Amino acid sequence: MGFFSYLFQDWKANKRNIKGQYILLMYRFAQQVRKNKIMLVFFFWFLIIYTIWIEWILCCELSWHTKAGQNLQLHHGHSLVINRGVVIGNNCVLRQCTTIGNKGDKDDRSPVIGNNVNIGSNTCIIGNITIGDNVIIGAGSVVVKSVAANCVVAGNPAKVIRQL
């Protein structure tokens, strides 16, 4: 994948969502700056601006260390907290007020989210867990255990509501 293809890989998935396009464009560029030592020398200032602008002002804590697949969608992109160790698959949807991270104890591993996962607003996904492919997580859910593929989960704690 070329440099510009990499930067704009989420563009079509977020059409008519300028804020989502902007945040993800900046996120992908920050990832490139971090990966390449030459770019890091010339664009270290960009990582500072990214932290101030995207994380502090736009309230979207999406670390450039987070691994995210293609066609990531951000709906509203506000109050979003994604831990640096999280792995997100292709074609996933993240909504506002979502927290994905570790428990903060001795086991600091973060969730791994499969492909085609749709995460509702105000959702917490915490701990060393795996979310399978083609999963829908309902709004307001608290997911603390791994979720199998092809199902809908919701609640606190999240439980399987139906199979897809």
Side-chain angles (χ1 to χ4, degrees), residues 47 95 102:
L47 299 177
R95 289 185 174 76
N102 58 30

Side-chain angles (χ1 to χ4, degrees), residues 131-155:
I131 308 296
D133 295 342
N134 308 309
V135 171
I136 299 172
I137 301 173
S141 297
V142 177
V143 183
V144 293
K145 293 182 180 175
S146 292
V147 176
N150 304 309
C151 65
V152 177
V153 297

